[in-house]
């Protein structure tokens, strides 16, 4: 059992849980994730290790409450426990060790960018982060990223920072020159748009993919993606890949495969809450 020591609401539907997991906190590396099972029989949810505190033996999980299982997870309060946390899983980020990196975080993807920026900063790399959200209250991890380098913020509606998408700001940073590598994490259309920016400039671009995962060990095939014409499993070969080679059409299609099942589960969950069978 993993005790929840803190719960922070980061944006209207994004919650941070700090959870006791000392072994994972000790050995995790940038880009790695865990698979969480709230209780026996609950769904297995892959979550990036957004941060870790070795001294306290805790890891930070950032959860966007979009379905039944994620809503149940974020309903947990400090003092409650999560039954299983498996990890760290996945290949660590291939971090450069000198130069300047552009880290782009769209919405909740900013929490995934944070450990990458931490690793780069630790290597002495100059970090410029471009982060964005729909409006001010959807911008997350700004303060944490400011500790690691320069941060430029934008919002879709202009309520905070520059008005526009992260790609609008990233275009300017790239035009200024001196960027050796781009790391981009967020919704699929965002990562595709970043790659459309960097491809003509021939700048190495790493994206983190979030296909459906089940076992997280390369056995079920659920997280299949196509990179450079080859089938890869995001859980063991990724989750980070060369963005210039990713088949984003296939990724979008596969992410939609279980949408009707997810909606049905969510409406049943909401109905159970409404009639008082669940809180
Ligand atoms: P969102 O739709 O609110 O978008 C966040 C930001 O991304 C926007 O403010 C904008 O700056 C940028 N963006 C969005 N669409 C864009 C486009 N077409 N072109 C350029 N920039 C664009 O995102 P959200 O609700 O925070 O995130 C939800 C999505 O993120 C889900 O689809 C989820 O699956 C995905 N996600 C991905 C990862 C990952 O590892 N890749 C991790 C968590 C969530
Ligand atoms: Fe099963 Fe990757 S989650 S193969």
């Amino acid at each position: 059992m993993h005790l929840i020591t803190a719960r922070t609401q980061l944006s209207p539907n994004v919650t941070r849980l700090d959870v006791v997991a000392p072994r994972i906190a000790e050995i995790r590396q940038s880009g790695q994730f865990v698979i969480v099972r709230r209780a026996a029989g609950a769904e297995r949810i892959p979550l990036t290790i957004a941060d870790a505190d070795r001294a306290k033996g805790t890891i930070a999980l950032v959860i966007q409450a979009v379905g039944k299982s994620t809503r149940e997870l974020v309903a947990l309060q400090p003092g409650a426990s999560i039954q299983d946390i498996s990890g760290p899983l996945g290949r660590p980020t291939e971090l450069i060790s000198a130069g300047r990196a552009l880290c782009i975080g769209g919405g909740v993807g900013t929490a995934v960018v944070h450990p990458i920026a931490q690793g780069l900063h630790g290597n002495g790399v100059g970090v410029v982060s471009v982060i964005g959200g729909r409006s001010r209250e959807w911008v997350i991890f700004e303060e944490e990223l400011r500790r690691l380098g320069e941060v430029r913020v934008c919002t879709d509606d202009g309520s905070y920072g520059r008005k526009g998408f992260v790609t609008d700001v990233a275009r300017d940073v790239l035009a200024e020159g001196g960027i050796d590598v781009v790391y981009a994490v967020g919704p699929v259309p965002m990562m595709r748009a970043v790659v459309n920016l960097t491809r003509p400039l021939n700048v190495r671009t790493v994206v983190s993919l979030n296909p459906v995962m089940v076992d997280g060990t390369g056995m079920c095939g659920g997280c299949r993606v196509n990179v450079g014409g080859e089938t890869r499993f995001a859980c063991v070969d990724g989750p980070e890949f060369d963005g210039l080679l990713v088949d984003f059409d296939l990724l979008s299609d596969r992410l939609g495969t279980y949408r009707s099942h997810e909606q049905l589960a969510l409406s049943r969950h909401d109905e159970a809450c409404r009639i008082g069978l669940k809180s």
Side-chain angles (χ1 to χ4, degrees):
M1 298 295 272
H2 300 269
L3 182 72
I4 296 169
T5 57
R7 179 187 185 282
T8 315
Q9 197 66 41
L10 300 181
S11 81
N13 76 346
V14 177
T15 306
R16 169 179 171 146
L17 296 179
D18 288 87
V19 184
V20 174
R23 195 187 68 87
I24 299 172
E26 184 65 33
I27 63 173
R28 68 102 194 195
Q29 294 181 59
S30 302
Q32 291 188 299
F33 66 96
V34 291
I35 290 192
V36 165
R37 199 173 62 138
R38 180 183 52 80
E43 190 184 353
R44 295 159 62 84
I45 305 173
L47 294 168
T48 299
I49 306 164
D51 204 350
D53 185 327
R54 282 185 182 168
K56 291 183 183 163
T58 57
I59 58 171
L61 305 174
V62 174
I63 304 135
Q64 188 175 38
V66 285
K68 169 185 176 288
S69 300
T70 45
R71 285 197 192 176
E72 287 174 342
L73 194 56
V74 301
L76 297 176
Q77 298 296 325
S81 293
I82 292 173
Q83 177 156 319
D84 301 315
I85 301 182
S86 312
L89 301 169
R91 294 168 77 94
T93 306
E94 286 180 19
L95 298 167
I96 57 171
S97 51
R100 200 157 170 257
L102 170 58
C103 293
I104 309 175
V108 68
T110 309
V112 182
V113 153
H114 175 252
I116 300 174
Q118 274 182 325
L120 291 164
H121 179 71
N123 276 3
V125 173
V127 178
V128 184
S129 297
V130 171
I131 61 174
R134 291 169 222 172
S135 59
R136 184 177 190 131
E137 68 268 32
W138 297 88
V139 174
I140 65 171
F141 272 80
E142 180 186 354
E143 208 181 300
E144 292 86 342
L145 286 165
R146 284 204 189 280
R147 289 184 212 126
L148 306 171
E150 179 190 346
V151 178
R152 302 193 196 179
V153 184
C154 60
T155 47
D156 301 2
D157 65 1
S159 55
Y160 186 51
R162 178 169 153 186
K163 185 176 189 322
F165 283 172
V166 284
T167 38
D168 297 317
V169 182
R171 186 181 292 110
D172 290 351
V173 177
L174 288 163
E176 288 163 20
I179 295 297
D180 299 295
V181 58
V182 172
Y183 297 88
V185 192
V188 174
M190 182 214 103
M191 295 190 287
R192 189 202 297 262
V194 168
V195 165
N196 287 340
L197 274 184
T198 57
R199 192 188 303 280
L201 303 172
N202 202 23
V203 176
R204 188 176 152 222
T205 305
V206 177
V207 295
S208 180
L209 305 185
N210 65 329
V212 173
M213 286 192 191
V214 184
D215 62 310
T217 62
M219 306 235 297
C220 72
C223 66
R224 176 168 62 84
V225 293
N226 189 295
V227 183
E230 289 181 13
T231 294
R232 310 291 297 275
F233 295 142
C235 65
V236 287
D237 301 322
E240 292 169 11
F241 293 100
D242 181 342
L244 304 182
L245 300 179
V246 169
D247 182 340
F248 287 109
D249 288 334
L250 179 70
L251 179 64
S252 295
D253 283 354
R254 287 182 57 75
L255 279 169
T257 305
Y258 298 105
R259 198 154 288 146
S260 59
H261 298 268
E262 287 159 4
Q263 278 163 356
L264 181 62
L266 182 59
S267 59
R268 284 182 179 154
H269 169 78
D270 287 348
E271 179 61 9
C273 291
R274 195 184 64 77
I275 62 176
L277 292 176
K278 280 186 177 180
S279 55

